[in-house]
Amino acid sequence: MKTFLDWSAYDTYGIGDAYSGIPATGGNYAKAVAVCMHSRDCQNTGKGVMCPSYRITGDRAHSTEARVAAFKTALNDGGDAAAFADPRLDAAMDLCVSCKACKKECPSAVDMTLIKTEYLAQRHEIKGVPLRTRLFGGVPEWTGRHRRLLRRAILLRNRVPLMARLAEWFLGITARRPIPEPAPAAYVAPPAAPHLAERGDVILFVDTFCHHFEPEVAEAAREVLTFAGYRVRIAKPDPSDAEPDRPLCCGRTYLTTGMVEKARSEGKRVLAAFESEIAIGTPIIGLEPSCLLSLRDELYSLGLGPKIGALGKQLYLFEEFLAREHQNRGLRLKLKALPGAKAVLHGHCHQKAFGVMKATRKVLSFIPGFSYDIVETSCCGMAGSFGLEAEHYDASMQMAEIALLPAMRAAPDDAPLIANGFSCRHQIEHGSGRKARHIALLIRDALDRD
């Protein structure tokens, strides 16, 4: 059976050559499914992230264990790629939000996010890629090539109720929430300083959402890093790139929608852009958790060769890099106290799944007198395009109402709300009427420039 992802890491049940660069075939995918040992941790409802769909339904059919069982049954019955058209898989995967929690919290490290990507890719091969999937998955291309057209279309849809209803009728995009609108202008960074700074060079990876939707986040991060003593260079495509003017993309939107070849193309662009930086070990700093951590994790599954491992060692989320430099290289940011009540912090699923919340807490401790509460919650429910899909809107809001939205509504009016995920901030604003901010904006506001 042809597979779209490289499953060679599962040749020895997770201990193997994940960097072979040779796309897997045959039973490797089945082994990825078979690692489930039925511990049923995915059916817990206490602290943790796993499993959001089980939490809102209480139905074992929407747990990771049941999804694995559905795949085992379909693969055993079908025996080839046609098994992926089995309606039982559609039902099992319907509410999966690709939160990555199972890989972290499951004792067997079931990676349902990657399993789902392969399933979607196989399904697309059989049935074709739906238009809505192409629209949501292709955000990097739409913003990179047709930004003005995209912005006008979204503004029209958000401001004219009839257009929202038509979008729901024809495309299945819910009319009950606005679509995030691109900013009036994309991010344009000032030129990097001509000379090496005191603490050396860093590269800022400005993802699609920061570049086109919230450029103020990218600029805040650049200001903080510059203030801290680094020369900041913005990640750019290699000069030989076929689209040198289109910003780099992690490929996450393509992976989550099963458009693997598109994701592989973006991965190749990233590798080509950073090839020389890999050799000299330049830190590469990202802002969007799902973007940066996808580069560090799921890029392995695209079969791009051994350089992926070296690149992964140089990739840091903004707060990870600051915490690391503080601990290992004596970074001391000069910060001042911020006004307002105790803040409320929501962690993105990937921050939790990859253990980044410790770094987030560390960086917040740099601000004198700053205090905050962490919302003990699972997925925010937005999960990329999941919350924009008409059939999933109610489930999306139910996930958010478990703990996230009540906590945000209950916070004092002057309390900072912190959420590093673009989708999380969208969900918080839609469900509570309040704006959450990326940690880079908070640290930028706390810089003591006197």
Side-chain angles (χ1 to χ4, degrees):
M1 183 180 77
K2 170 193 172 184
T3 57
F4 290 84
L5 297 174
D6 181 355
W7 296 96
S8 58
Y10 288 88
D11 280 341
T12 51
Y13 286 83
I15 306 173
D17 182 10
Y19 320 132
S20 66
I22 303 171
T25 56
N28 294 320
Y29 177 75
K31 289 181 180 180
V33 173
V35 298
C36 174
M37 302 304 292
H38 306 284
S39 69
R40 298 188 178 175
D41 288 65
C42 52
Q43 294 163 41
N44 291 335
T45 56
K47 289 185 178 182
V49 180
M50 186 174 69
C51 172
S53 48
Y54 177 78
R55 286 171 182 259
I56 63 169
T57 63
D59 186 346
R60 178 185 169 276
H62 292 292
S63 68
T64 301
E65 181 193 34
R67 289 178 180 124
V68 165
F71 274 102
K72 288 180 179 179
T73 301
L75 290 170
N76 286 338
D77 290 350
D80 57 25
F84 289 94
D86 192 319
R88 290 173 294 183
L89 294 185
D90 294 343
M93 299 304 296
D94 182 50
L95 296 183
C96 176
V97 292
S98 300
C99 65
K100 210 70 179 181
C102 42
K103 185 174 182 181
K104 168 74 173 180
E105 297 178 24
C106 170
S108 304
V110 174
D111 195 341
M112 187 53 64
T113 298
L114 273 189
I115 292 172
K116 181 180 179 181
T117 294
E118 182 70 49
Y119 149 72
L120 289 173
Q122 297 281 356
R123 193 174 184 277
H124 296 336
E125 184 81 351
I126 298 166
K127 297 186 174 182
V129 184
L131 176 57
R132 185 181 67 180
T133 298
R134 294 200 300 271
L135 290 174
F136 284 147
V139 167
E141 292 177 83
W142 281 103
T143 52
R145 297 172 184 166
H146 311 288
R147 189 178 191 284
R148 291 182 181 179
L149 176 62
L150 179 67
R151 185 168 189 271
R152 288 172 184 169
I154 292 176
L155 290 174
L156 181 65
R157 181 266 180 202
N158 285 350
R159 285 156 176 72
V160 181
L162 175 60
M163 297 302 295
R165 290 194 293 271
L166 288 173
E168 180 166 327
W169 179 267
F170 288 108
L171 298 171
I173 299 173
T174 182
R176 290 190 278 175
R177 77 161 86 233
I179 296 175
E181 298 174 0
Y187 180 62
V188 178
H195 305 293
L196 190 66
E198 175 188 355
R199 298 188 65 86
D201 273 19
V202 296
I203 295 174
L204 185 62
F205 188 101
V206 181
D207 58 89
T208 295
F209 297 99
C210 283
H211 188 92
H212 290 287
F213 293 84
E214 294 185 335
E216 64 275 12
V217 173
E219 180 55 22
R222 190 198 65 81
E223 288 183 33
V224 170
L225 293 167
T226 301
F227 182 85
Y230 302 93
R231 180 171 66 173
V232 182
R233 295 186 278 125
I234 305 300
K236 295 181 179 180
D238 186 76
S240 64
D241 194 286
E243 297 181 272
D245 296 326
R246 183 167 69 85
L248 293 173
C249 168
C250 67
R252 173 77 186 170
T253 60
Y254 295 120
L255 279 171
T256 56
T257 52
M259 300 165 70
V260 174
E261 290 307 318
K262 292 277 191 180
R264 188 172 284 117
S265 294
E266 296 299 332
K268 289 177 180 178
R269 294 181 75 222
V270 168
L271 269 184
F274 293 143
E275 185 167 4
S276 61
E277 306 298 342
I278 293 173
I280 58 177
T282 310
I284 300 166
I285 301 167
L287 300 167
E288 174 63 33
S290 61
C291 171
L292 192 284
L293 295 173
S294 287
L295 288 176
R296 209 158 71 190
D297 180 60
E298 280 141 326
L299 215 58
Y300 288 115
S301 67
L302 295 176
L304 299 179
K307 288 183 181 177
I308 294 297
L311 176 62
K313 295 175 183 177
Q314 295 169 224
L315 296 171
Y316 303 92
L317 276 175
F318 174 77
E319 60 269 35
E320 282 185 304
F321 179 74
L322 293 180
R324 168 185 175 270
E325 293 291 283
H326 182 275
Q327 180 174 331
N328 299 334
R329 296 189 60 217
L331 172 65
R332 295 296 180 267
L333 276 172
K334 187 180 179 184
L335 303 178
K336 60 187 178 183
L338 292 173
K342 180 183 284 189
V344 179
L345 170 64
H346 166 67
H348 186 283
C349 289
H350 285 64
Q351 286 178 286
K352 299 169 187 173
F354 289 91
V356 179
M357 292 304 294
K358 180 179 179 181
T360 305
R361 295 192 296 269
K362 178 69 175 178
V363 170
L364 289 175
S365 74
F366 296 167
I367 305 174
F370 191 77
S371 62
Y372 58 93
D373 289 324
I374 298 178
V375 184
E376 287 291 345
T377 185
S378 184
C379 177
C380 74
M382 191 61 199
S385 62
F386 181 83
L388 288 171
E389 296 163 2
E391 70 274 21
H392 293 141
Y393 175 83
D394 288 332
S396 168
M397 296 307 295
Q398 288 167 18
M399 291 178 188
E401 291 290 356
I402 292 175
L404 174 61
L405 292 181
M408 294 298 173
R409 295 189 198 107
D413 291 343
D414 61 343
L417 308 182
I418 309 165
N420 279 11
F422 176 78
S423 292
C424 304
R425 295 193 293 274
H426 185 208
Q427 180 77 304
I428 290 167
E429 183 173 3
H430 172 67
S432 71
R434 302 187 60 180
K435 286 184 177 291
R437 308 177 79 212
H438 192 283
I439 193 174
L441 293 167
L442 199 74
I443 301 299
R444 190 272 313 277
D445 291 349
L447 294 179
D448 188 349
R449 304 176 191 268
D450 296 333

